[in-house]
Amino acid sequence: MQALLEAFRAALASLMANRMRSVLTTLGIVIGTGSVIAVVSLVQGFSASIKNQLADLGGSTLTLQAVNTNENFQSGRLNYITFDDINVLRYRVPGVGQVAPILAVNVPGISYQGRTVTAQVQASNADYAAVYARWPVKGRFLAPADDRGRRKVAVIGDKLRVDLDLPEDPIGEYIRIGNEWFKVIGLMEKQGDLLGFSLDNYLIIPFDVGRSMMGASNRPFMQASFTVPDLEQVNTVRERVTRAIRTARRTPASEGNTFKVEAADAFVKQFDQIAGTATLVVGGVVGISLLVGGIGIMNIMLVSVTERTREIGILKALGATRRDILVQFLLEAAMLALLGGIIGIILGIAAGVGIAAMIPGFPPASVPIWVIAAAAGFSALVGVIFGIMPASKAAGLDPIEALRYE
């Protein structure tokens, strides 16, 4: 331990004696580590934002939606969820709790006192708030009586309220959706922006009202989310739903499904995998610059060995072993790389935060502790690996020849 501490002290003294060269040597490591941290912080921040938005939709919430491939879109033969599928889900499958269908209603615009804007118009029912964990901050949400009576009422997002220049409390105001007038009964809580797109530019009307606005067509774009009260029955209920819809559609056993039933948190898990893979790939590509920095350290350390040949000869003449010389030069290389890693981490965090702030609507950057620890450790490891050759050269010098070196 005493020898190791002495080697550390000697390595630190050598680096301090050549401050400018030490700083310049670490630039490659600084740039590499900073780039990795900046990229990872942006990816992790985006991933955390997605997970937070879907945090309330757990594994007990399932979603029924159509499956369409590129071939479907190219041929125009799209698959749909129908009103009959919704009825099967609601009335024929044991274990299904609240069901919230969402029907996309196409309208030319939404108007209020001469101002017309566009927004996402959805038709749903009273279960929407509980299933999707979204609640009004003013007024109320849709009630079963609204659907039964086909009342022309709507709850709106805050972005739509601002765009229409509605009062801060818009309850009781009338807006025009397409060619129909609707009364605003609720203002939904804010969800914020995602990649510059507002998540609050929408309104929700009663499901049957939206269905009547779509006309007699039985092929609107629609999906349905539903809860499973018994968490242990989630997989069983998913299979029941699949079988029931296939039976109702009279789908032959030889044909695959044109729909899917997924847990709401499946997207979060899938996104986690994608984000993790993207982090590794992008971090690995950017991390190549760390190898360039390591080569720079090796070159400077080789120069340092040549410059300090007489010093090495004196140390060996005074009793320093090959191991002592090897450890000292390895520590110098590792400390150079670690210093560059620490500076790179600080600059990378600052760059990630700055880039996220400059992109409108982009989530704040997030840097997990494990990323910082891994970056610092890998930087030091690069220093050790690329310091082996200079350290071996220094340790292998003949003391007599080293003392004669001019």
Side-chain angles (χ1 to χ4, degrees), residues 73-371:
F73 286 104
Q74 291 172 0
S75 64
R77 294 192 295 268
L78 298 178
N79 298 315
Y80 296 88
I81 297 300
T82 67
F83 297 114
D84 291 336
D85 296 332
I86 301 298
N87 289 332
V88 169
L89 176 64
R90 182 178 290 164
Y91 302 117
R92 299 186 188 178
V93 182
V96 171
Q98 297 168 304
V99 178
I102 292 185
L103 171 65
V105 182
N106 296 320
V107 296
I110 303 167
S111 305
Y112 174 75
Q113 293 185 355
R115 183 186 294 268
T116 302
V117 300
T118 58
Q120 185 180 20
V121 180
Q122 302 174 342
S124 191
N125 59 13
D127 291 335
Y128 177 99
V131 172
Y132 287 93
R134 300 178 186 173
W135 310 95
V137 292
K138 295 183 184 295
R140 66 174 179 85
F141 196 72
L142 301 176
D146 297 326
D147 230 354
R148 289 196 301 267
R150 297 197 174 185
R151 296 173 181 168
K152 294 184 178 180
V153 294
V155 292
I156 65 174
D158 191 71
K159 178 65 164 54
L160 179 59
R161 179 195 68 80
V162 173
D163 289 347
L164 287 175
D165 200 20
L166 284 161
E168 290 190 8
D169 187 352
I171 309 306
E173 300 290 333
Y174 283 85
I175 59 176
R176 188 171 181 174
I177 305 175
N179 297 320
E180 307 285 346
W181 288 96
F182 284 75
K183 181 181 180 180
V184 177
I185 61 171
L187 176 66
M188 300 298 287
E189 59 187 354
K190 293 182 181 180
Q191 298 180 72
D193 296 341
L194 181 62
L195 295 178
F197 295 96
S198 174
L199 300 177
D200 300 306
N201 190 31
Y202 70 97
L203 63 81
I204 305 172
I205 60 178
F207 185 75
D208 285 337
V209 174
R211 182 173 178 177
S212 64
M213 290 176 67
M214 293 294 293
S217 172
N218 198 40
R219 287 188 172 275
F221 285 103
M222 182 169 52
Q223 69 176 38
S225 290
F226 57 96
T227 59
V228 180
D230 187 354
L231 187 60
E232 296 181 355
Q233 294 292 315
V234 168
N235 291 329
T236 301
V237 172
R238 180 192 286 115
E239 294 173 0
R240 289 175 185 168
V241 171
T242 301
R243 287 197 303 268
I245 293 179
R246 285 181 62 89
T247 300
R249 292 183 174 186
R250 297 180 180 178
T251 304
S254 59
E255 293 185 10
N257 295 329
T258 58
F259 62 91
K260 61 182 178 181
V261 182
E262 289 187 340
D265 62 351
F267 175 76
V268 178
K269 295 176 181 177
Q270 184 178 11
F271 186 84
D272 271 343
Q273 294 177 351
I274 295 174
T277 302
T279 299
L280 292 176
V281 172
V282 177
V285 172
V286 177
I288 293 176
S289 57
L290 282 175
L291 301 181
V292 177
I295 295 173
I297 289 178
M298 182 174 64
N299 290 335
I300 294 299
M301 291 299 297
L302 287 172
V303 172
S304 178
V305 170
T306 303
E307 292 178 347
R308 295 158 60 186
T309 300
R310 281 184 64 84
E311 175 190 333
I312 296 170
I314 294 172
L315 289 174
K316 286 197 169 186
L318 293 175
T321 65
R322 175 185 173 88
R323 177 178 176 276
D324 293 334
I325 302 298
L326 183 69
V327 169
Q328 178 180 336
F329 276 85
L330 282 179
L331 280 175
E332 285 188 32
M335 289 170 65
L336 274 175
L338 183 58
L339 174 63
I342 293 173
I343 297 175
I345 289 171
I346 296 173
L347 294 179
I349 294 174
V353 172
I355 293 172
M358 288 188 294
I359 301 176
F362 198 90
S366 173
V367 187
I369 298 298
W370 67 266
V371 174

Side-chain angles (χ1 to χ4, degrees), residues 294 297-298 301 326 329-330 333 382-392:
I297 289 178
M298 182 174 64
M301 291 299 297
L326 183 69
F329 276 85
L330 282 179
V382 167
V384 171
I385 292 174
F386 284 93
I388 289 176
M389 181 184 293
S392 297

